[in-house]
Amino acid sequence: MPTEPLSQKEIEDRLRELPGWSLEGDRIARAYRLANHFAATAMVVHIAQIQDELNHHSDLTLGYNTLSLSVNSHDAGGAVTEKDFELAQRVEGIAAGHGAA
């Protein structure tokens, strides 16, 4: 069963609850800065575990000490859905433990 897209207002309201996240085209996105490459890589692995638990996967870009994440829902035609915000909230929940800013 496909997931329903959120309205523009719903997306804007939800983004207010997630500082650092923004709407970039048809995706929600966030960039993090970490202490070094190892810390950024460890966070990628942790995010991969969360994504497998949720069965919902984002695009991740790993730099030396940076990590960028963007996500939308393919089963909603590439729109932003509640599943995207659930993933974003879970990532935010682990970010501080990895020293991400």
Side-chain angles (χ1 to χ4, degrees):
M1 180 171 180
T3 306
E4 292 299 315
L6 296 175
S7 70
Q8 186 69 29
K9 181 174 181 346
E10 289 171 315
I11 293 168
E12 291 168 3
D13 289 347
R14 296 295 307 271
L15 284 171
R16 280 193 273 284
E17 301 168 9
L18 287 169
W21 286 81
S22 62
L23 184 63
E24 294 183 6
D26 62 351
R27 309 171 75 79
I28 59 170
R30 170 92 153 83
Y32 296 94
R33 181 166 300 279
L34 294 101
N36 54 45
H37 188 65
F38 185 81
T41 303
M43 187 166 165
V44 167
V45 172
H46 200 163
I47 291 170
Q49 179 184 17
I50 291 168
Q51 291 178 144
D52 279 350
E53 289 171 10
L54 296 175
N55 192 29
H56 190 57
H57 300 83
S58 67
D59 289 338
L60 296 169
T61 302
L62 175 64
Y64 170 72
N65 66 341
T66 59
L67 169 61
S68 298
L69 180 146
S70 67
V71 64
N72 64 10
S73 295
H74 299 288
D75 63 349
V80 176
T81 69
E82 183 61 37
K83 291 189 330 185
D84 304 311
F85 280 100
E86 182 179 1
L87 175 59
Q89 288 172 324
R90 293 278 305 270
V91 170
E92 281 299 303
I94 66 156
H98 288 278

